[in-house]
Amino acid sequence: MRRSKYRTGRTPMASVVHGVAAVVTAAAVAVSVPETAAAAEPPGRQDDPVVGWARQHAEPLRTTEPTRPLDDLGPLRDAVGHARMVGLGEAVHGAAELVDLKHRALRLLVERMGFRSVAWEEDWTTGVRIDTYIRTGQGDPDALVREMGPQWSSSRDVADVLRWLRGFNAGRVAADQVRFVGVEFFMTRRPAYDAVADYVAGAAPERADELGELLEELRPETDDIWQHISWYQGVENKRPYVHRARQVHELVATVPHAPDDRSHALALHNARQILSFYEFYALGEDEQSTYRDARAAENLRWWHDRTGGRTAYWAASPHTANAPGIRLTQPDMGFASAGSYLRGWYGQDYRSIGFTLDHGTVATGAGRTAELPPPDPGWFEQPLGQVRADQFVLDLHRPAAAPPVRAWLHGPVITRGPGPGSVASGGSLAQWFDAVVHRQAVTPSQPLA
């Protein structure tokens, strides 16, 4: 038996989570403000042309309740149109009303528009287990959510989304069921290694020993993925691990197979996640966000091309937005979003919907909350807070003749970033999103029992 590698040289867990990517968790929650405050009209804003345009074109939504009828979502359906792929991006994680509004939007896409894939800002291996649950009922949705990334892992609202997906699939033929896929790789767990080993053992048994030697130092020794991440973060020379992971990928790629062999394609995808894991953590933090979104977009494209169906992409807005030059502060980083790759590949067949907010409180994990005050002057959401509706859809392609409105839509964008004091910029509002679903006041996502 090989000696355990989880002994020394590990970085503190807080810095490991930070190193996964600062975009992973959008912090911030606050003192809750009554919804009626959103309708108050501050002096001096009555003649603001941007506020007037937003009020003219905003389509109020009756409720955030996921189980209510969807008839008020007609404007969102129009904004999606015939797109094959739709990004559902949330400004922050941990806001109950944003999750609920996205849940309603997902119901619209699935129940009325024929979408049959949900791609999630989540690890591939966890996504496989969630896909099994929503197709067969095998598994516990609360337990599955607890294994998800830290931005989802304590949210009862996310568990409710999984339960709804299972309820929709129950009794349907396999060809008409919704599928679930995780497009991330930085928490790649042991099932990916097992899937690769099982495939090679069956398709090329003469190479099984060679693969086994390569996997021996790569495969996590524990189900605690954070322990494995922490160990690898502490390894000074990561090059040998990246080299072995690349050899695993190359070995699977060279196994003889028919061009349309789906089992080979699946094994190769598992090997790609292993390689991505080891490559990602070998990079500096300034390079990780660029690498992460490029790989997430490739994983989503692989799934979309494999299934051929209409796909909803559920993630944070810095990932779903068509933002090829997005910049974030605290920490400072710039990268091309996954959504910008998708727009480049699919054109208008990819639509980006941003779920935004004015103020409120959000859950930040472990029972904590953080304050989100109203937007700063100059942030694009500020005029939306003057719309007299608790929540609404605003199609950003509506005609805009007034120069201030065009400047708001097409000038440099600035907004809240993924953590306290963080700011996001780079590009324009109309570039990032085709439409926004805006909520005035938010409250924290409910924790799992």
Side-chain angles (χ1 to χ4, degrees), residues 202-231:
E206 70 281 3
R207 305 195 69 182
D209 288 344
E210 177 187 357
L211 177 69
E213 291 179 3
L214 292 172
L215 291 179
E216 183 177 5
E217 294 300 320
L218 298 176
R219 187 178 187 273
E221 295 178 355
T222 172
D223 286 328
D224 183 350
I225 190 59
W226 296 109
Q227 186 179 8
H228 184 65
I229 292 170
S230 184
W231 160 77

Side-chain angles (χ1 to χ4, degrees), residues 192-322:
Y193 300 80
D194 296 340
V196 170
D198 289 346
Y199 170 77
V200 172
E206 70 281 3
R207 305 195 69 182
D209 288 344
E210 177 187 357
L211 177 69
E213 291 179 3
L214 292 172
L215 291 179
E216 183 177 5
E217 294 300 320
L218 298 176
R219 187 178 187 273
E221 295 178 355
T222 172
D223 286 328
D224 183 350
I225 190 59
W226 296 109
Q227 186 179 8
H228 184 65
I229 292 170
S230 184
W231 160 77
Y232 185 51
Q233 285 282 83
V235 171
E236 184 175 351
N237 181 10
K238 296 180 175 63
R239 288 191 297 273
Y241 295 92
V242 174
H243 179 64
R244 290 189 191 99
R246 189 169 290 121
Q247 287 180 293
V248 168
H249 186 263
E250 291 172 354
L251 189 157
V252 176
T254 56
V255 170
H257 62 279
D260 58 349
D261 187 338
R262 294 177 68 85
S263 62
H264 178 266
L266 184 58
L268 189 62
H269 189 72
N270 276 286
R272 176 70 252 190
Q273 306 323 299
I274 296 169
L275 175 57
S276 294
F277 175 94
Y278 282 96
E279 288 181 333
F280 175 79
Y281 288 107
L283 298 172
E285 287 187 11
D286 57 338
E287 302 171 289
Q288 286 181 341
S289 54
T290 296
Y291 183 96
R292 175 191 175 184
D293 271 54
R295 297 291 83 73
E298 289 174 358
N299 289 338
L300 206 164
R301 179 169 66 169
W302 175 85
W303 179 265
H304 183 71
D305 292 349
R306 175 182 171 88
T307 61
R310 302 180 82 180
T311 302
Y313 175 29
W314 183 304
S317 290
H319 304 306
T320 63
N322 173 31

Side-chain angles (χ1 to χ4, degrees), residues 39-232:
E41 189 172 336
R45 297 304 301 268
Q46 296 93 330
D47 298 326
D48 186 317
V50 177
V51 173
W53 183 87
R55 287 177 173 172
Q56 177 186 358
H57 296 294
E59 300 281 357
L61 300 176
R62 288 192 297 269
T63 181
T64 64
E65 172 54 51
T67 62
R68 297 290 294 277
L70 303 175
D71 295 342
D72 57 331
L73 291 179
L76 186 60
R77 180 171 187 163
D78 292 341
V80 170
H82 298 291
R84 301 289 298 170
M85 189 179 300
V86 174
L88 303 176
E90 56 201 64
V92 297
H93 298 306
E97 290 79 7
L98 295 192
V99 176
D100 289 345
L101 286 166
K102 289 177 70 173
H103 188 164
R104 294 193 76 217
L106 185 61
R107 281 188 56 210
L108 174 77
L109 297 177
V110 169
E111 294 180 5
R112 300 196 177 183
M113 303 185 72
F115 281 64
R116 288 296 180 267
S117 281
V118 180
W120 201 284
E121 182 191 339
E122 182 51 55
D123 172 65
W124 159 257
T125 49
T126 304
V128 170
R129 295 183 61 198
I130 293 173
D131 182 61
T132 298
Y133 165 70
I134 70 169
R135 288 187 296 108
T136 68
Q138 178 184 342
D140 175 5
D142 288 356
L144 290 169
V145 168
R146 288 189 177 96
E147 292 184 12
M148 293 176 76
Q151 66 273 44
W152 321 112
S153 59
S154 62
S155 174
R156 190 174 71 194
D157 306 297
V158 171
D160 288 343
V161 175
L162 302 189
R163 286 188 172 88
W164 169 74
L165 287 168
R166 172 57 197 152
F168 179 86
N169 280 342
R172 290 180 179 269
V173 297
D176 193 39
Q177 287 186 330
V178 178
R179 301 293 304 275
F180 186 103
V181 60
V183 299
E184 303 287 0
F185 54 82
F186 49 75
M187 293 169 63
T188 300
R189 292 177 164 90
R190 293 193 286 186
Y193 300 80
D194 296 340
V196 170
D198 289 346
Y199 170 77
V200 172
E206 70 281 3
R207 305 195 69 182
D209 288 344
E210 177 187 357
L211 177 69
E213 291 179 3
L214 292 172
L215 291 179
E216 183 177 5
E217 294 300 320
L218 298 176
R219 187 178 187 273
E221 295 178 355
T222 172
D223 286 328
D224 183 350
I225 190 59
W226 296 109
Q227 186 179 8
H228 184 65
I229 292 170
S230 184
W231 160 77
Y232 185 51

Side-chain angles (χ1 to χ4, degrees), residues 16 355 414:
V16 170
F355 289 73
I414 185 168

Side-chain angles (χ1 to χ4, degrees), residues 368-381:
R368 296 185 298 269
T369 60
E371 181 176 356
L372 281 182
D376 286 350
W379 291 10
F380 81 76
E381 303 99 316

Side-chain angles (χ1 to χ4, degrees), residues 390-414:
D390 292 331
Q391 57 271 327
F392 58 87
V393 178
L394 181 62
D395 189 333
L396 300 180
H397 295 301
R398 299 300 295 270
V405 179
R406 294 201 302 272
W408 179 70
L409 289 169
H410 303 290
V413 68
I414 185 168

